[in-house]
Structure formats: structure tokens, C-alpha cells
Amino acid sequence: MAKVLREIIRINEELCDGCGDCISSCAEGALVIVNGKAKLKGEILCDGAGACIGHCSTGALTIEKRESEAYDEAAVALNLARTQQPSRIPVGAAHGGQLPMAAHAGGCPGSAMRQWNDFPPASPSDVRDSAPAALTQQPSRLRQWPVQLMLVQLDAPFFRNADLIITADCVPFAFPDFHQRFLSGKALVVGCPKLDDLRHYFDKLTQIFKVSELKSVEVIKMDVPCCGGIAQAAVEARKRSHGTFPLTITTIGIRGELQESYRV
């Protein structure tokens, strides 16, 4: 089978302790434990999305970009049927049907890459005119999808020559004016340094910084100890990628106040 250059899981067997936590987190059933170590059943079964990485406590799983067999939805459906796991592949894909245009390479339409420059109105006029001011929807400044750092592609077009916001996922909930203050005209990635794999964050940010020729990066984190990891990952990734763009660290308090912002 011909090989293509794409993202795919990499397993460091020296770090793997065979716990098996990655098995249940892989929607494609691509992983198996053999002789106490996680193994990839076949390259065609791995979509490269990295959902398993956050469930690995030893850091044995990472995503790398290399030549491998192309991901095959039909093979995944067959594999899941053999192991009696419910298929998460869109109906028709396993029978030679075409996936919807919005479908992600991993079979999840919700993580398909999109980019736009126009924005919806604040709210429909019939709703805006009759709704209390507090209920009026403010216009979104989001210009892309997906936003999760674990899901975005390394060479996504919305990163090219962009001003990039890297934010902890609690920030938009705590800071009421996030879209207007931080997001307008910028690319965005979101993550949780406590729940996700910081090593993967560092590796992925390094690759994004290398290929995207970013204009600037701002890391927005919460004022909690675990949140410092996302800033550190960005600082180290810039160093590793030899980036020359300005990097700003901004901290938001847990009650939504803007505490400090400084350049590193």
C-alpha cells in the first residue's frame, strides 16, 4: 500500500507501562497491549488525532509526522466490528460511501478544519429588539475551527503569518470580554495543562512555530499553579523552534480580573 506523509501515533515502549488506559480512549480501536506494551494494530487504523495521548500517564504516546499508510475508515469499521465495539465512523463510510465534505480525516465531522473571515450579526433583529440588553448576543470573533490544541493540524492555513492566541480553556469562562479583548483578528488554540499531556503541547507547539511564520504569540492563562505549564510549553517551544516572534504572557484571576501581562 502506498504511503503518505501524515500525523500518526508514536509509542515509546521504554516509557509504556502497559496500563491499557489508551485502549479505551481510541475510538478506532487502533491500539492493543502485547507483552505488556501498547502496540499499534495497523497504521491504517490510526487517524493521528491523538485522543489517546491525554490518557497516558507516562508520556509514552506522542504524535509524529511521517510517511505511513493512509487512514482507512472502512478498515476501522471492520476492526470495530471484529472487536464488538460500536463504530463511530459516519454511516456509509464503511461501504464505500463518501464522507460529508465537513468530515475530519478521523471520521469526526465536528473536528473538520474550517476558516472564515466574516462574522454573524450580533443577533437576529426580531430577537435583538425585544430582548433585554443582558441577553443580546455579542458578535463572535472566532475565525477558525477546530480550536483545541490536541485537534488542530500543524500546518493549518489559519496559523500562517498569524497573531496566535494560546489560552487555557478556563480563560474564556472567567474573562467576560475575551472575544473583544483578545481574539479579534487572531488565530486560537485552547488547552488544559492539567488534564492534557504537556509534553505533547510542547512538541506540537514547536512544530506549529516552525512552519507557520507567526507574527506574535500571546499565552493567556489562569492564576492557578497548574496553568503555568501552558506558558512554559510555549516559551520552550519558541526556543526549540528558533522563533523570533514576540511572546506575551497574560494572567487572568479566577474572578475574571486581568492581573498582569508581560513580554518574555
Side-chain angles (χ1 to χ4, degrees):
M1 181 179 294
K3 295 192 174 185
V4 296
L5 183 63
R6 69 180 185 93
E7 292 184 341
I8 192 169
I9 198 71
R10 178 179 181 273
I11 303 170
N12 185 332
E13 293 191 4
E14 292 184 1
L15 296 178
C16 178
D17 62 4
C19 69
D21 288 345
C22 57
I23 305 296
S24 59
S25 64
C26 179
E28 292 73 29
L31 296 168
V32 66
I33 300 297
V34 178
N35 296 327
K37 301 291 182 181
K39 302 280 188 181
L40 191 60
K41 290 182 182 179
E43 293 179 337
I44 60 175
L45 301 178
C46 178
D47 65 356
C52 55
I53 291 176
H55 296 263
C56 178
S57 60
T58 66
L61 303 179
T62 55
I63 294 292
E64 65 178 356
K65 193 168 187 178
R66 61 176 174 82
E67 287 193 347
S68 62
E69 295 177 355
Y71 174 71
D72 188 333
E73 293 94 346
V76 169
L78 181 59
N79 174 58
L80 294 175
R82 286 173 174 170
T83 56
Q84 297 183 337
Q85 298 181 46
S87 175
R88 304 183 193 182
I89 305 301
V91 174
H95 302 284
Q98 295 296 316
L99 289 173
M101 287 298 290
H104 178 261
C108 175
S111 57
M113 185 166 62
R114 302 173 175 87
Q115 183 178 12
W116 57 89
N117 292 310
D118 58 327
F119 302 102
S123 60
S125 58
D126 58 336
V127 174
R128 182 175 61 247
D129 294 342
S130 60
L135 297 180
T136 302
Q137 178 184 337
Q138 296 301 312
S140 170
R141 295 304 174 190
L142 187 65
R143 305 173 62 191
Q144 75 193 61
W145 193 261
V147 297
Q148 284 287 345
L149 182 53
M150 301 291 282
L151 296 177
V152 293
Q153 295 184 22
L154 298 175
D155 57 352
F158 45 75
F159 289 142
R160 296 171 191 161
N161 304 114
D163 296 300
L164 175 64
I165 295 293
I166 303 171
T167 184
D169 55 8
C170 294
V171 168
F173 292 96
F175 194 80
D177 200 26
F178 178 80
H179 278 243
Q180 301 298 326
R181 171 64 175 79
F182 295 113
L183 192 53
S184 185
K186 298 177 181 179
L188 173 72
V189 291
V190 178
C192 177
K194 183 175 180 65
L195 299 180
D196 293 334
D197 182 359
L198 267 180
R199 185 174 306 176
H200 180 57
Y201 279 9
F202 167 68
D203 290 340
K204 195 158 191 177
L205 288 174
T206 299
Q207 293 304 314
I208 291 172
F209 292 173
K210 280 183 178 179
V211 302
S212 299
E213 298 182 1
L214 295 167
K215 294 179 182 177
S216 69
V217 171
E218 183 172 9
V219 178
I220 311 173
K221 64 182 183 68
M222 297 297 298
D223 183 27
V224 292
C226 60
C227 223
I230 198 167
Q232 188 62 32
V235 170
E236 293 301 319
R238 183 179 65 167
K239 184 185 302 182
R240 176 69 64 86
S241 66
H242 304 291
T244 58
F245 51 80
L247 175 59
T248 302
I249 308 295
T250 298
T251 303
I252 305 296
I254 59 175
R255 297 190 63 180
E257 70 276 18
L258 179 59
Q259 290 191 341
E260 64 175 355
S261 187
Y262 59 92
R263 185 169 293 185
V264 294

